Amino acid sequence: MNTARDLAYMEMAYGLAEKARGRTSPNPLVGAVVVRNDSVVGHGFHETAGKPHAEILALRTAGGLAKGATLYLTLEPCVHWGRTPPCVDTVLAAGLGRAVISAVDPNPLVHTRGIRRLEGAGLDVSVGLLEERNSGLNEAYAKYITRKIPFVTLKAALTLDGKIACRTGESKWISSAGTRDYVHLLRGEHDALMIGVNTLVADDPRLTVRHPNWGGKKIVRVILDSRLRFPPAAKILSTLPRGRIVVFAGRGAPAAKARALEARGVEVVVPGGRNKAWDLPDVLAELGRREIASLLVEGGSRLFTAFVENGLADKAVLTYAPRLVGGAAAPGFIGGKGAAKVGEGPALKKTRSFSVEDDIILEGYF
């Protein structure tokens, strides 16, 4: 049975796991703490893909003090070879007296096998403490590792009347400076950003991560541009050291334009087979093949609408500024035909809201 001390040490393990947010993809965020006689003798977290896992670092720090100790681990140890050896063998060799594991790994190669290995070796194992924390922390990993497509978050800056731009297309700046800073913090937690070509043409964004917490962070920029309307003087072309640019173009896009973009370092991807254009499920599948586990979609309205209407969005982060712009021609967050009845429209679940300066940030799940 778990105790208050178990809860405190598992909270510590989750605090360690959080330190690597945005840096471990496509691997999960994991933290570990080793406790002996009510003293922490080892701790660690998975820092980035390819580096030792959390439990390995924690046991390495503990050394001989791990014998008879308790391991607190936010996710069950792996049992397979990947970029690193199986962790379960090291855990068993440490001579632990007990293991408290928060959650099972959704990876089909691991799922419950790590726990069963520990139990089969006679180790006292407790599972499930703070499991709900892991569900939120590793939501992108859980979707990617089971479906091989990224977890999709829609991010939009809106006025109080639901507009993402004025009737002229001008949108700088709807959000406050503090909210824009928050968005850059959010960008850094993702593997890739996506926009449609209309947003590229209208806003000329750089789509980089500009926040002091994310020094040197590179992020993949994805642009849906079936006819290759990509402006040759777009600002984003000067930011290739900050991350790859992948353009999803139609089969009929100008070949000369594609070659010109590729000569500047852009990846132009056309659909396979007899398909003339990309559909969103195929785009997500291609991103999954590139090990992109989390995708932040930043516009525009047609792209937001397509994700919502096709049931492909997992989450929304909507920032509301206390401003009204009006105008029937001004684009809203969602367009399309729209619901005939209020109850037919998709509703966000598990919502939370908070304020940044004068703006309201609303987060929820589809």
Side-chain angles (χ1 to χ4, degrees):
M1 182 177 293
N2 294 313
T3 66
R5 286 181 177 175
D6 287 338
L7 182 64
Y9 290 129
M10 189 61 78
E11 288 278 11
M12 185 183 300
Y14 270 108
L16 290 166
E18 288 272 7
K19 295 176 71 172
R21 188 182 284 273
R23 304 187 191 280
T24 63
S25 186
N27 290 355
L29 293 157
V30 185
V33 175
V34 181
V35 178
R36 179 171 176 166
N37 297 329
D38 292 329
S39 295
V40 175
V41 294
H43 58 83
F45 63 94
H46 183 45
E47 297 177 6
T48 188
K51 287 193 174 182
H53 291 182
E55 57 269 48
I56 302 302
L57 292 173
L59 292 170
R60 187 179 296 169
T61 304
L65 294 176
K67 189 173 181 61
T70 298
L71 169 67
Y72 295 87
L73 186 61
T74 59
L75 193 69
E76 75 174 299
C78 63
V79 296
H80 66 297
W81 279 85
R83 291 185 173 102
T84 59
C87 292
V88 69
D89 296 331
T90 302
V91 173
L92 288 173
L96 293 164
R98 180 174 177 237
V100 180
I101 298 172
S102 180
V104 298
D105 193 332
N107 186 344
L109 295 175
V110 181
H111 189 66
T112 73
R113 291 176 61 198
I115 292 169
R116 285 187 279 122
R117 278 283 307 278
L118 298 180
E119 291 175 333
L123 186 63
D124 178 9
V125 181
S126 175
V127 182
L129 182 63
L130 293 181
E131 185 176 9
E132 69 282 358
R133 284 281 300 272
N134 196 77
S135 297
L137 183 68
N138 284 312
E139 59 190 8
Y141 167 75
K143 181 181 179 182
Y144 168 78
I145 205 64
T146 54
R147 298 177 57 188
K148 296 303 180 184
I149 57 174
F151 184 92
V152 177
T153 299
L154 309 183
K155 193 285 297 180
L158 292 83
T159 60
L160 283 182
D161 50 345
K163 306 296 185 180
I164 62 172
C166 297
R167 58 180 172 79
T168 59
E170 197 270 341
S171 62
K172 295 182 179 179
W173 296 102
I174 290 176
S175 300
S176 67
T179 297
R180 298 197 299 274
D181 189 61
Y182 165 75
V183 167
H184 280 282
L185 192 63
L186 183 66
R187 279 182 177 181
E189 296 179 2
H190 289 77
D191 298 335
L193 308 175
M194 175 186 283
I195 60 171
V197 67
N198 289 337
T199 299
L200 179 69
V201 172
D203 296 347
D204 195 18
R206 287 177 285 174
L207 295 182
T208 53
V209 180
R210 302 185 295 279
H211 192 282
N213 282 20
W214 297 112
K217 170 82 179 193
K218 293 184 178 182
I219 193 164
V220 178
R221 282 74 61 79
V222 180
I223 300 165
L224 304 187
D225 186 5
S226 59
R227 293 179 290 169
L228 278 187
R229 294 167 50 215
F230 197 120
K235 291 177 183 176
I236 195 173
L237 289 171
S238 65
T239 68
L240 277 163
R242 306 291 297 276
R244 293 180 290 130
I245 300 172
V246 182
V247 177
F248 285 81
R251 189 166 291 280
K257 183 70 171 289
R259 289 193 297 270
L261 288 171
E262 288 170 340
R264 300 185 67 175
V266 175
E267 297 179 59
V268 179
V269 187
V270 295
R274 297 182 179 180
N275 296 331
K276 293 183 179 180
W278 289 94
D279 59 23
L280 280 180
D282 287 340
V283 169
L284 294 180
E286 177 61 27
L287 294 179
R289 282 192 288 273
R290 293 165 179 256
E291 293 193 334
I292 290 174
S294 57
L295 175 67
L296 188 65
V297 180
E298 297 201 3
S301 181
R302 290 178 61 186
L303 190 55
F304 291 142
T305 302
F307 269 103
V308 172
E309 288 185 341
N310 288 283
L312 297 173
D314 299 291
K315 186 177 181 179
V317 177
L318 308 176
T319 72
Y320 286 91
R323 186 183 299 276
L324 304 170
V325 298
F333 172 54
I334 299 295
K337 185 178 180 180
K341 297 180 180 180
V342 172
E344 295 176 354
L348 293 180
K349 307 173 185 68
K350 296 190 291 184
T351 58
R352 75 177 186 113
S353 61
F354 55 95
S355 298
V356 176
E357 294 185 3
D358 291 332
D359 296 344
I360 297 171
I361 316 296
L362 175 68
E363 298 181 355
Y365 294 82
F366 288 97

